[in-house]
Amino acid sequence: MNRRRFLAASITAAGAACVSPRGFRPAGIGLPAIAGGRTVSLAAVQRIVVEREDPVLGRCRYVADTGAERIARPVFLARQGDRFDAVIENRLPQPTTVHFHGFALSEAQDGAGFDPIPPGASKTLAFRVRNRGGLYWFHPHPHGLTAEQVYSGLVSLVVVVDEDDVALDQAIALAPANRLALAVSDVRVANGVVRPYAPSVEDCHTGWLGNQAIVNGALDARFPVAPGWVRLQLLNACNARGLLLAFRAGDVPVPFSLLGTDGGLLSAPQPLDRVFLHPAERVDLALDARPRRHIEAISLEYDPRLHAPPGPMTMRPHPARARFPTLAAENICGPAGTRRAGEIVPEGERLPLFSLTVEGEHLPPRTLPQRLSSLAEATAPLDAKARRMRLDFSEQRGFLIDNQPYELDEIAFSAARGAHEVWEIRNSPISMPHPMHLHGFAFRVLRRQGTFGPARALATENAGRIATDLGLKDTVTIWPNESAWLAVDFSLPDDPAFRGPQRYMFHCHNLEHEDGMMMQNFAVV
Ligand code: C2O
Ligand code: CU
Ligand code: CU
């Protein structure tokens, strides 16, 4: 094979995993046991109800109805190739959508804000799960109301399994209690209750931060595990907070191995002692719980690089927020002002997340397999089209992509179906870290440049990349003054559902920035 064909083949091998209909395998594999909450097979769900659980404080939840039972806040499990056919019923006083974050879906099924479900209405979703095994999730995506709805508890994990995933659990003899899928966010707690969403101008600027972690809906979450390997699939479901995830047994750091990222398993495990996890990013990791009794997951202290001072004019709440009632009856907003003392833990300060208590019989030790999947090294085909994007900040208009605020009816750019592109995304020095998310397509990180010190210190791979850059990604964080190069594969499945031009979105997953118009539509034609 010549070099050009080899490069093209290797990106197809990586990209194909999430978009190619040939990626399907017979759904003969079983669903794993996932601890930490109730699980339900995505294929068995007939109806998902989006409802307020507590109308006073505005806490919300998804309830899955299988016909036989109703399960509140489940973790969904799916095999690669499974179908999902269900009615989404919106019982909120606001429009909503269900966006399957990370899934390769057509525009009609993607659940972006183009086609909201009005209050009291329903919509049918029907699609096939094409993605590799990995941790995915769904959440609301209605214009201007995304941040409030996600904060209120509308976050749902979807664990997809494939043959590599099953083989890994077998190789490390994973105990059933030791596989956890966790959505970690931060909430504002006062007097033991989670306060409703009511952002000030400052919150709209840096993002809505809390003062306590909430994990799969629980404060002070603890999970019992057996002494052996623990496999954690973690989502940063925070509206805005970046986490520098690490583990401690008392004061002693607990090392771990990174197994996978947003789009599934790496080719080989990466030993680490900390990892940045910004909003919407996922990590799959293994830690050895044998020698300890109690393991604490924390976010370590770091410099969050907030380099764009809020002006009096910046980042007002989205106009849609004035058109619909808030989810909470109780209003803590008061005159839009600054945050009160104790209301938040600033970003970059240490924050306890959850803990694992280790009990039971020791399992015989196993070593982690050195090969986890056939994911190829990231490469850019020679014929890839180059595209440049700029993340900007303006005191008048807030955070922007290419100096433009989001326009619902505009298409910022089009990509050809099947095209390979290399994106160069550069963040302004007067900025903050932006976790940039692409709908519909996974991408690979090729290179980083201009990374700031503490993040650069974690860059152990070639081309300035960090360990999480080695996997398939749908969200990538770009620090102020940093540039990142991404290889994007715009292949769409050869399936009638994907016929015709398909619109998708590219946006910052700091949800206050997303609602604040740091977003673009694009089309694949
Ligand atoms: Cu997780 Cu456009 O979203
Ligand atoms: Cu998404
Ligand atoms: Cu942002």
Side-chain angles (χ1 to χ4, degrees):
M1 214 184 317
N2 66 30
R3 178 174 160 78
R4 188 187 174 98
R5 285 204 14 235
F6 171 75
L7 289 171
S10 62
I11 194 167
T12 310
C18 55
V19 289
S20 162
R22 288 190 305 270
F24 293 153
R25 294 169 183 129
I29 47 179
L31 293 169
I34 307 276
R38 291 211 53 197
T39 59
V40 62
S41 152
L42 193 65
V45 174
Q46 296 177 2
R47 179 176 293 266
I48 293 178
V49 180
V50 193
E51 64 177 29
R52 277 194 294 189
E53 182 182 11
D54 171 354
V56 177
L57 293 166
R59 300 306 294 165
C60 297
R61 64 183 179 185
Y62 290 116
V63 179
D65 187 343
T66 64
E69 56 176 339
R70 288 168 45 89
I71 308 162
R73 278 209 202 88
V75 171
F76 293 86
L77 302 179
R79 279 167 289 249
Q80 186 182 39
D82 272 358
R83 284 203 61 85
F84 174 67
D85 281 283
V87 174
I88 311 293
E89 199 180 303
N90 179 12
R91 293 201 190 145
L92 304 179
Q94 302 177 343
T96 196
T97 76
V98 172
H99 167 58
F100 279 82
H101 181 123
F103 273 13
L105 294 174
S106 65
E107 173 185 331
Q109 305 295 312
D110 185 53
F114 301 123
D115 184 19
I117 312 169
S122 300
K123 180 183 174 178
T124 302
L125 287 184
F127 59 79
R128 198 178 278 284
V129 177
R130 295 168 183 278
N131 293 67
R132 302 172 78 213
L135 180 65
Y136 303 87
W137 60 303
F138 64 79
H139 64 79
H141 216 298
H143 292 308
L145 301 163
T146 298
E148 180 181 18
Q149 292 186 14
V150 171
Y151 173 75
S152 300
L154 294 174
V155 165
S156 209
L157 298 175
V158 186
V159 177
V160 177
V161 293
D162 60 11
E163 283 163 5
D164 290 334
D165 186 283
V166 172
L168 169 62
D169 287 3
Q170 281 169 355
I172 59 175
L174 195 68
N178 285 23
R179 182 164 176 177
L180 292 155
L182 305 177
V184 180
S185 20
D186 59 336
V187 285
R188 290 190 193 180
V189 178
N191 306 320
V193 297
V194 177
R195 308 307 301 169
Y197 186 71
S200 65
V201 171
E202 194 185 355
D203 292 322
C204 291
H205 178 81
T206 52
W208 172 264
L209 300 167
N211 56 9
Q212 228 177 292
I214 189 165
V215 178
N216 289 7
L219 299 169
D220 294 315
R222 328 176 150 259
F223 303 97
V225 294
W229 284 111
V230 178
R231 182 174 174 194
L232 295 171
Q233 289 178 286
L234 300 179
L235 159 71
N236 179 335
C238 299
N239 279 38
R241 181 185 299 273
L243 304 172
L244 181 52
L245 177 70
F247 299 88
R248 295 281 181 273
D251 288 335
V252 184
V254 178
F256 59 92
S257 286
L258 183 73
L259 306 172
T261 57
D262 306 351
L265 293 173
L266 302 174
S267 60
Q270 302 291 318
L272 296 178
D273 64 359
R274 65 191 64 196
V275 66
F276 273 114
L277 190 65
H278 277 84
E281 289 187 292
R282 287 89 74 201
V283 283
D284 190 340
L285 53 90
L287 54 86
D288 185 356
R290 266 174 306 142
R292 6 246 164 191
R293 296 230 142 273
H294 188 87
I295 297 171
E296 190 109 31
I298 53 170
S299 181
L300 297 172
E301 227 170 73
Y302 69 94
D303 173 359
R305 281 325 233 210
L306 307 178
H307 278 181
M313 295 300 295
T314 46
M315 312 292 283
R316 300 253 151 216
H318 191 286
R321 291 189 47 77
R323 290 206 301 274
F324 297 97
T326 52
L327 295 172
E330 185 181 313
N331 194 335
I332 54 152
C333 189
T338 44
R339 295 161 181 152
R340 283 169 276 176
E343 204 174 39
I344 66 155
V345 171
E347 189 174 15
E349 273 186 25
R350 187 187 168 104
L351 187 73
L353 302 176
F354 61 89
S355 56
L356 306 173
T357 38
V358 188
E359 47 204 35
E361 252 175 78
H362 274 232
L363 302 165
R366 305 263 184 148
T367 48
L368 277 182
Q370 274 318 291
R371 189 170 173 80
L372 301 172
S373 79
S374 57
L375 187 69
E377 170 63 24
T379 50
L382 299 177
D383 60 350
K385 177 180 159 54
R387 200 182 285 283
R388 306 174 96 203
M389 316 252 198
R390 294 289 174 264
L391 310 181
D392 301 302
F393 172 69
S394 137
E395 279 191 29
Q396 278 69 44
R397 297 187 299 163
F399 295 106
L400 304 164
I401 303 174
D402 289 337
N403 254 307
Q404 293 302 317
Y406 180 64
E407 290 289 347
L408 176 59
D409 301 319
E410 278 176 21
I411 300 289
F413 62 92
S414 295
R417 191 178 282 256
H420 294 136
E421 296 198 356
V422 171
W423 289 13
E424 178 202 312
I425 308 177
R426 190 188 149 84
N427 194 357
S428 149
I430 304 167
S431 193
M432 54 183 278
H434 296 294
M436 300 305 297
H437 168 54
L438 183 68
H439 282 215
F441 303 88
F443 54 81
R444 305 297 303 269
V445 181
L446 297 170
R447 183 154 84 89
R448 287 180 187 266
Q449 196 180 303
T451 312
F452 92 99
R456 190 171 52 226
L458 300 183
T460 50
E461 306 306 317
N462 60 30
R465 293 179 303 165
I466 51 177
T468 46
D469 290 339
L470 298 179
L472 269 184
K473 296 288 289 170
D474 57 52
T475 307
V476 64
T477 298
I478 313 205
W479 295 89
N481 200 40
E482 190 183 40
S483 296
W485 284 262
L486 314 177
V488 195
D489 177 350
F490 285 107
S491 300
L492 285 173
D494 183 15
D495 176 312
F498 290 81
R499 224 166 260 159
Q502 303 289 319
R503 278 181 306 171
Y504 296 101
M505 288 174 174
F506 175 62
H507 63 85
C508 180
H509 222 289
N510 175 317
L511 297 179
E512 282 67 37
H513 295 183
E514 175 179 340
D515 282 349
M517 311 290 194
M518 194 178 184
M519 181 148 77
Q520 284 186 334
N521 297 331
F522 68 95
V524 178
V525 294

